[in-house]
């Protein structure tokens, strides 16, 4: 693993993905912002904030998670899927087809 790459190992399988520092930082920054938003909602709940105000913030978190998923999916298609297809591993297409319904709930 080089200095400009971060390797992420999936906790449920043997697959892994090397990410550039830029991609890694972008995804981590997005997750940290989402984490901060969740903590903000916890604070709102502790301070008995109005339900609608909390719901609006939950909606913002959902939008941020969807944005994270879109970015990760675009990166996945552009790298993992494309590379696997070029190498003749077409099963990656079915893997993608199987995960899309889970992302579209």
């Amino acid at each position: 693993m080089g200095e400009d790459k971060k390797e992420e190992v999936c906790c449920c399988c043997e697959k892994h993905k090397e990410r550039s520092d830029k991609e890694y930082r972008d995804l981590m920054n997005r997750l940290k912002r989402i984490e901060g938003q969740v903590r903000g909602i916890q604070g709102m709940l502790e301070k008995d904030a109005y339900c609608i105000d909390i719901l609006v913030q939950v909606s913002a978190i959902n939008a941020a998670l969807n944005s994270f998923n879109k970015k990760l999916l675009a990166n996945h298609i552009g790298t993992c899927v494309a590379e696997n297809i070029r190498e003749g591993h077409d099963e990656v297409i079915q893997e993608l087809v199987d995960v899309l319904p889970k992302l579209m709930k």
Side-chain angles (χ1 to χ4, degrees), residues 33-89:
R33 280 193 299 271
I34 292 166
E35 182 181 29
Q37 288 175 297
V38 171
R39 276 197 230 103
I41 290 175
Q42 289 171 330
M44 291 174 76
L45 196 57
E46 289 169 354
K47 295 175 183 170
D48 296 323
Y50 188 56
C51 299
I52 296 299
D53 295 336
I54 294 173
L55 290 168
V56 167
Q57 291 305 311
V58 170
S59 179
I61 291 171
N62 284 331
L65 283 169
N66 284 333
S67 178
F68 177 87
N69 275 347
K70 288 177 192 175
K71 182 71 172 174
L72 187 60
L73 181 60
N75 291 342
H76 177 64
I77 291 169
T79 57
C80 300
V81 174
E83 289 170 16
N84 274 285
I85 290 172
R86 280 192 292 272
E87 294 171 2
H89 303 291

